[in-house]
Amino acid sequence: MPPTTRVAVKASFVYFCLGAAIGALLLVNRWVPLWTGLPALRSSHIVFVVDGWVTQLILGVGWWLLPPLQIALRPDEANWRRHGQTQRGSEPLFWAIIGLLNTGILLKAIGEPLFEWTEAGVFEVLAGVAPFLLLAAAIGFVAIMWGRVRELRRR
């Protein structure tokens, strides 16, 4: 498993734990009022579980398991050989995608509750920028993986 995948999967488990903890607090708060501002964390709970855990886990495992690029020693060589990480595509681009994804997750998860608690416009702007970062990460992932998802040619 490449280091890029390990980092993405470990980060997804961190988001799972955060989402589960916030979900547990929200559930307890329904019967035992803990804090009146706690319902504002509902959007953070959803972002941590859906975008943080599920999406990041899918991206990390997809980077690792989808078919490798066909890289041959010579263009006319029929039997291509694996060349390690280069067959997955651009590793720096994948790191950038993971960075965009995590930045978007954190801005959304932190910005929305802080805006609801303080009504400061800067937090609304941060939460408004987050979907564009998540979209950029999605487009980047599709772009980097497009060449790896190919039709098998029959002889």
Side-chain angles (χ1 to χ4, degrees), residues 1-9 60 63 85 88 91 94-95 98:
M1 181 182 296
T4 47
T5 296
R6 284 197 301 268
V7 168
V9 169
W63 173 255
Q85 189 67 16
R88 289 190 174 89
E91 189 173 356
F94 186 74
W95 282 116
I98 293 298

Side-chain angles (χ1 to χ4, degrees), residues 3-68:
T4 47
T5 296
R6 284 197 301 268
V7 168
V9 169
K10 286 178 183 178
S12 74
F13 289 140
V14 169
Y15 285 126
F16 173 73
C17 291
L18 286 171
I22 292 172
L25 286 173
L26 289 169
L27 188 62
V28 168
N29 194 51
R30 292 176 79 184
W31 291 285
V32 180
L34 301 173
W35 178 42
T36 57
L38 200 58
L41 292 177
R42 183 172 289 119
S43 63
S44 299
H45 165 66
I46 294 168
V47 168
F48 282 150
V49 171
V50 174
D51 294 335
W53 175 42
V54 175
T55 304
Q56 188 147 238
L57 185 65
I58 290 169
L59 265 59
V61 172
W63 173 255
W64 175 39
L65 289 180
L66 281 173

Side-chain angles (χ1 to χ4, degrees), residues 69-126:
L69 294 169
Q70 289 189 6
I71 300 174
L73 295 177
R74 293 184 307 269
D76 61 340
E77 188 176 346
N79 296 327
W80 57 279
R81 296 186 185 144
R82 293 181 181 239
H83 294 282
Q85 189 67 16
T86 58
Q87 282 192 293
R88 289 190 174 89
S90 173
E91 189 173 356
L93 181 56
F94 186 74
W95 282 116
I97 290 165
I98 293 298
L100 285 170
L101 179 69
N102 285 301
T103 304
I105 290 167
L106 293 175
L107 286 179
K108 186 92 170 149
I110 294 170
E112 284 188 1
L114 287 176
F115 174 70
E116 196 168 323
W117 295 329
T118 65
E119 295 185 9
V122 67
F123 297 123
E124 186 176 28
V125 170
L126 291 177

Side-chain angles (χ1 to χ4, degrees), residues 141-155:
F141 186 73
V142 168
I144 198 171
M145 300 305 283
W146 192 261
R148 290 174 62 180
V149 181
R150 62 190 176 276
E151 183 180 340
L152 293 175
R153 294 189 179 113
R154 299 183 190 257
R155 295 181 186 201

